[in-house]
Amino acid sequence: MLIYAVQPGDTVGSIAREFQIPISTIIYNNQLSYPFRLAVGQALLLSAEGEAERPVIETGGYAYPYAREEVLRQTLPYMTALNIFSYGFTTEGELIPPRQDDSRLIALALDYGARPVMTLTPIDASGTFNNNLITGLVHNPASVSRLIGEIVQKLAQSGMQGVDVDFEYILPSDRVAFADFVRELRIAVNAVGYRVSVALAPKTSDNQPGLLYEGKDYALLGAAADFVLLMTYEWGYTY
């Protein structure tokens, strides 16, 4: 059993980093409530003898740069990744950052031990989804090379730790080229120590009709990315 006495300046996050344990473990063991305030001298149970091995899962969520700090601080202790929504691009391969600065989200995620992840979407300079951007990008090797280079550079500069590719409305004629783009991106991002995921619409067959489905080849994308996730808003969505 490991008991720790809170010292001046301690936070749940700093204690978790010092002892290399999840923030959620400290919160759960000590039944702390948001905003997780600590008192100097307070005794915290960090681990218990015979504590059962807990299964490890990855949890994450998408957030706009204007997300409320209270919501972020309540949820980040239980997350392994925060997908920052979103970065767009031009057909020439120029990376377009979010309209609002995302450095606050990156810093908060890192403070809570969650990976801040760049979400890449086919959003143009006006902030609109545009599948013509996908077509113009994935069939142009020079544009693909430029975009991947700018993404890797942005990861190094910003502190983000991975990329989630959230392309929707992909044309059937782009499905192979899109998977090739994901593979090239994954190779480049893996080389700097991070991973690439792809968001997929939940298909029930490879030939399922519909604009959300026809451009996504599960087999090719499963091989191209480090991992995938299913977008379940078809099963329930706020709007």
Side-chain angles (χ1 to χ4, degrees), residues 73-139:
R73 290 191 180 276
Q74 284 179 311
T75 54
L76 278 169
Y78 307 100
M79 297 169 66
T80 49
L82 180 69
N83 292 5
I84 298 172
F85 198 89
S86 80
Y87 282 73
F89 56 88
T90 67
T91 53
E92 292 76 29
E94 180 184 4
L95 187 65
I96 301 175
R99 293 186 173 185
Q100 186 170 332
D101 179 48
D102 59 357
S103 59
R104 177 180 67 99
L105 266 65
I106 296 170
L108 274 172
L110 292 172
D111 189 49
Y112 281 92
R115 297 189 311 271
V117 173
M118 174 192 295
T119 302
L120 185 70
T121 61
I123 289 180
D124 58 27
S126 69
T128 305
F129 268 96
N130 183 349
N131 60 5
N132 291 324
L133 287 174
I134 302 172
T135 302
L137 172 73
V138 299
H139 295 287

Side-chain angles (χ1 to χ4, degrees), residues 36-80:
F36 316 123
R37 293 191 178 93
L38 302 176
V40 174
Q42 179 180 352
L44 295 178
L45 173 63
L46 302 187
S47 65
E49 290 184 14
E51 189 174 34
E53 187 70 23
R54 298 174 65 185
V56 177
I57 64 171
E58 292 204 8
T59 58
Y62 291 92
Y64 287 100
Y66 53 77
R68 295 209 322 264
E69 185 160 331
E70 178 185 4
V71 174
L72 292 166
R73 290 191 180 276
Q74 284 179 311
T75 54
L76 278 169
Y78 307 100
M79 297 169 66
T80 49

Side-chain angles (χ1 to χ4, degrees), residues 126-191:
S126 69
T128 305
F129 268 96
N130 183 349
N131 60 5
N132 291 324
L133 287 174
I134 302 172
T135 302
L137 172 73
V138 299
H139 295 287
N140 188 327
S143 296
V144 168
S145 179
R146 177 182 179 183
L147 179 59
I148 291 176
E150 292 197 8
I151 289 171
V152 171
Q153 183 179 28
K154 185 64 177 180
L155 294 180
Q157 294 172 343
S158 67
M160 287 184 288
Q161 300 177 357
V163 181
D164 178 62
V165 182
D166 181 12
F167 283 19
E168 302 183 37
Y169 312 115
I170 303 167
L171 298 177
S173 56
D174 294 335
R175 61 188 280 165
V176 174
F178 170 59
D180 288 341
F181 164 72
V182 171
R183 176 179 51 80
E184 290 188 44
L185 177 62
R186 187 258 305 162
I187 291 171
V189 172
N190 284 176

Side-chain angles (χ1 to χ4, degrees), residues 217-232:
D217 187 307
Y218 270 27
L220 291 179
L221 291 170
D226 289 300
F227 64 98
V228 302
L229 56 92
L230 293 179
M231 300 181 287
T232 59

